[in-house]
Amino acid sequence: MSDLPARDIDWRLRVFDSLSFPTLVLKPDRTIVAANLKLLDTFGLTRQDIIGKSCREFFQTLGGDPDLPCTRNFCPLDKTLAEGQGHSVLRQIKKKDGSTHWEDRVFSPILDQDGRVSYVIESIRDVTRTKVLEKSLHGVRELLTRVLQSSPSAIVAADHEGRILLMNKAAEELFGYELEMGEQVDVSGLYPPGLARNIMKKLRSPEYGGKGKLPLTEVSIITARKEEIPVEMTAAIIYEDGREAATMGIYNDLRERLSVETKLQEARSQLLQAEKLASLGQLAAGVAHEINNPLTGILMYGNLLKEKLQGDPALEKSLNFILEDAERCRDIVKNLLAYSRQSGGSRERFQLNTLVDESFPLIRDQKLFINVRVRKYLSKDSLPVRGDRKKMSQVIINLVMNALDVMDKKGVLTLKTYRDEERQQACLEIADTGSGIPTEYRNRIFDPFFTTKEPGKGTGLGLSTAYGIIKENQGEITVKETGAQGTTFLVTLPLDVTPADALPETIG
Ligand SMILES: Nc1ncnc2c1ncn2[C@@H]1O[C@H](COP(=O)(O)OP(=O)(O)OP(=O)(O)O)[C@@H](O)[C@H]1O
Ligand SMILES: [Mg+2]
């Protein structure tokens, strides 16, 4: 620097000394030719202490850093000298007091007129604060990632063009995606057609929970396997300088909640149905009792009269009509009593499969089966039940007759029996390929006198009688499935298991 004109030296030295970070000027042979005030202040030195020393000597006298850059070949001074360009190195310094500092050592060449490096300026910048901030930012970022990943709610973020940027673990599970780095998936593919656009419209409008926000909303999403899942979601637009930068959605799977709600609803309507049928049963029992006595009288006196009228065919014919109708009434009363479970009856133990087999021949009009294929899948397990065998047979006949009616005498009638070990029940399913039960009738089919058949074709007592009989035997009768493909009725009865049934087959 001594070859510079005096006024230049003065000016440049003032700049040099006012630099706010410690700075040295080195000759290419590493000798220190200048040090600024900041460096002298920082290290408590005088110019005489360091001018003429090599930079390596200087750093070693500072101590505390055995891994000086020049001892480990990562000092960029050589590179700066060779290339004539600036370089830097970041160093972590452990101070004597145990504290750690970060220094950024920047080497800038001063070139002569021929472009050769005549001096190198080495400045030492303390970047500890930046490093600490960087570290804590990294820590916060890691924590955020962990919070995001461990959230039980599915979280998806997309950029302003709708490309998915992030899916947390719960979202990957819900949507069935495992996004590879750089893979581009459009957020609109997560919804049924048109829904993503609709959500964006609501998000941008101030009418739905405020601009940029979507309050809790129930929607459907589409998984990678093209499965539709009901979810509740909230969403938000992330703005940067007032512009849309990204969107995010938080989703919760509703399948479990909805299925519990449906079951609850079913249980409630079953309870209502049971209450309704119980009060109808009382009414039916009352009417049946009242009618039973006069009916017995009509039949008794009618038959007496018939004996006396022999020889008068015209009157006898009319009387026969009266008697037939009275008998029909007696059947109705019998069924009503069965429905209201007040008809008494015997209880015996029998096999459900045997009952199914012996009930069929009881259907008098076998012509009904001509165009119907009957399939029987009877369980190989023993299905012992207890009850009034005759009445139980009536249940099967009533269900089969309904099935034949709805199939208009052609189709497939399937009877299946099986054992439900868990509930200890014997099960019978009777399925037809008819047109199903219309939704509006589903709650009424077990009501006495509910019929959709023409007058004279049905009294509407078949299912209510079956209901009464099965209830009387601690069983259940329900519609398992109904729709355009047909209807399946399910009858369950408690298994009548005796200790002998429980014995292993090899014994005895
Ligand atoms: N398998 C079935 N498929 C479709 N609808 C059915 C079926 N079984 C019953 N139903 C409906 O339920 C109604 C009531 O049946 P239920 O057996 O009690 O009376 P019904 O058959 O009309 O007359 P009844 O049995 O007294 O001769 C029927 O009229 C019909 O509308
Ligand atoms: Mg019927």
Side-chain angles (χ1 to χ4, degrees):
M1 289 213 164
S2 54
D3 47 354
L4 291 171
R7 59 187 165 82
D8 283 349
I9 292 175
D10 181 45
W11 182 78
R12 289 185 193 181
L13 275 177
R14 276 170 58 199
V15 172
F16 187 53
D17 274 338
S18 13
L19 289 177
S20 55
F21 34 85
T23 306
L24 293 168
V25 181
L26 305 168
K27 284 212 289 197
D29 67 358
R30 294 183 162 74
T31 320
I32 300 170
V33 291
N36 73 348
L37 274 179
K38 183 72 184 175
L39 184 129
L40 300 176
D41 279 358
T42 309
F43 299 107
L45 300 167
T46 61
R47 285 210 161 88
Q48 284 72 24
D49 291 334
I50 56 167
I51 304 291
K53 287 194 177 146
S54 77
C55 61
R56 182 176 180 175
E57 279 173 311
F58 161 64
F59 282 113
Q60 267 174 352
T61 55
L62 291 181
D65 183 8
D67 285 340
L68 276 173
C70 37
T71 63
R72 280 284 175 102
N73 278 344
F74 39 68
C75 173
L77 180 59
D78 285 341
K79 235 173 149 190
T80 308
L81 289 171
E83 295 172 8
Q85 278 177 358
H87 287 286
S88 67
V89 62
L90 190 68
R91 299 282 303 144
Q92 189 184 16
I93 314 283
K94 271 223 171 351
K95 291 260 169 111
K96 277 183 190 149
D97 63 3
S99 62
T100 303
H101 284 246
W102 286 89
E103 286 179 2
D104 193 17
R105 293 191 190 156
V106 184
F107 293 81
S108 320
I110 300 177
L111 304 178
D112 63 17
Q113 278 152 347
D114 303 324
R116 278 184 309 232
V117 179
S118 50
Y119 296 98
V120 174
I121 302 175
E122 178 180 356
S123 48
I124 305 162
R125 273 188 273 180
D126 190 338
V127 288
T128 311
R129 223 174 88 85
T130 322
K131 270 280 163 194
V132 168
L133 273 176
E134 222 173 66
K135 256 182 137 176
S136 73
L137 201 67
H138 184 72
V140 170
R141 211 177 281 150
E142 255 188 9
L143 180 71
L144 268 178
T145 310
R146 252 182 283 150
V147 168
L148 204 74
Q149 289 301 357
S150 53
S151 157
S153 298
I155 301 173
V156 177
D159 67 14
H160 67 288
E161 285 177 18
R163 281 181 300 243
I164 295 175
L165 298 172
L166 176 151
M167 263 190 168
N168 72 346
K169 267 203 200 83
E172 287 186 344
E173 269 164 33
L174 177 67
F175 290 95
Y177 284 94
E178 243 177 78
L179 292 189
E180 299 289 330
M181 275 289 270
E183 195 182 344
Q184 293 207 344
V185 175
D186 201 283
V187 79
S188 62
L190 303 182
Y191 303 99
L195 185 58
R197 188 185 291 255
N198 198 11
I199 291 173
M200 281 314 293
K201 218 164 103 185
K202 286 186 176 170
L203 271 172
R204 288 180 181 131
S205 152
E207 283 167 37
Y208 307 89
K211 195 168 176 326
K213 287 182 206 143
L214 181 76
L216 211 59
T217 310
E218 287 192 14
V219 296
S220 288
I221 52 130
I222 306 286
T223 68
R225 289 180 298 279
K226 304 289 168 233
E227 196 187 347
E228 195 166 329
I229 295 180
V231 296
E232 60 177 13
M233 74 171 288
T234 57
I237 297 178
I238 299 161
Y239 293 98
E240 243 173 50
D241 301 329
R243 272 192 312 210
E244 286 177 16
T247 51
M248 64 162 292
I250 304 178
Y251 311 79
N252 286 313
D253 192 340
L254 283 182
R255 279 176 296 185
E256 206 173 301
R257 201 186 86 193
L258 289 181
S259 103
V260 170
E261 275 173 11
T262 316
K263 276 188 196 138
L264 211 64
Q265 189 69 32
E266 271 169 16
R268 244 184 246 133
S269 81
Q270 262 173 25
L271 198 68
L272 267 177
Q273 175 80 351
E275 278 171 4
K276 180 179 79 180
L277 294 181
S279 55
L280 277 174
Q282 273 178 351
L283 182 75
V287 174
H289 271 302
E290 290 306 312
I291 292 177
N292 217 10
N293 289 341
L295 209 54
T296 316
I298 294 171
L299 281 165
M300 197 180 78
Y301 288 110
N303 278 316
L304 276 175
L305 206 60
K306 197 174 156 187
E307 276 171 28
K308 294 205 168 147
L309 277 181
Q310 280 181 3
D312 189 338
L315 279 180
E316 208 183 336
K317 202 173 161 201
S318 303
L319 192 59
N320 275 340
F321 283 134
I322 294 173
L323 286 174
E324 267 170 32
D325 280 350
E327 266 164 23
R328 241 171 66 92
C329 290
R330 192 185 52 193
D331 285 344
I332 290 175
V333 166
K334 224 166 72 188
N335 284 334
L336 273 181
L337 287 173
Y339 164 66
S340 60
R341 290 173 258 158
Q342 298 194 6
S343 55
S346 63
R347 281 178 71 79
E348 58 181 299
R349 188 173 191 265
F350 56 90
Q351 287 290 334
L352 185 61
N353 286 345
T354 319
L355 186 78
V356 172
D357 281 333
E358 65 191 22
S359 299
F360 266 82
L362 298 177
I363 298 176
R364 269 175 257 153
D365 193 354
Q366 292 293 314
K367 281 203 299 292
L368 294 175
F369 289 99
I370 289 177
N371 292 317
V372 171
R373 277 221 318 271
V374 180
R375 288 189 185 146
K376 280 193 212 165
Y377 301 102
L378 302 186
S379 162
K380 294 210 165 50
D381 298 323
S382 159
L383 299 174
V385 290
R386 189 173 283 279
D388 186 322
R389 197 167 178 150
K390 260 198 184 150
K391 286 202 216 160
M392 295 275 217
S393 198
Q394 191 60 49
V395 172
I396 297 178
I397 294 169
N398 289 2
L399 290 175
V400 169
M401 290 302 288
N402 281 352
L404 293 174
D405 284 345
V406 79
M407 289 192 291
D408 204 14
K409 323 284 182 289
K410 54 185 178 292
V412 182
L413 175 73
T414 311
L415 288 110
K416 193 165 124 190
T417 59
Y418 55 93
R419 196 176 162 115
D420 183 338
E421 284 299 341
E422 201 181 311
R423 298 196 174 124
Q424 281 294 291
Q425 283 174 338
C427 306
L428 164 67
E429 282 182 16
I430 297 183
D432 60 59
T433 51
S435 50
I437 306 167
T439 323
E440 63 269 32
Y441 298 154
R442 282 178 203 164
N443 279 337
R444 302 175 59 196
I445 54 168
F446 292 105
D447 294 358
F449 301 111
F450 173 78
T451 181
T452 53
K453 293 168 190 167
E454 293 165 29
K457 286 226 163 147
T459 36
L461 280 176
L463 283 180
S464 49
T465 308
Y467 181 91
I469 295 170
I470 295 300
K471 277 278 167 198
E472 194 178 28
N473 290 287
Q474 288 76 50
E476 294 278 345
I477 176 167
T478 49
V479 177
K480 188 182 171 200
E481 270 176 341
T482 184
Q485 77 294 340
T487 303
T488 304
F489 276 88
L490 169 67
V491 175
T492 57
L493 289 162
L495 277 169
D496 186 50
V497 190
T498 63
D501 293 318
L503 286 178
E505 279 173 9
T506 45
I507 296 179

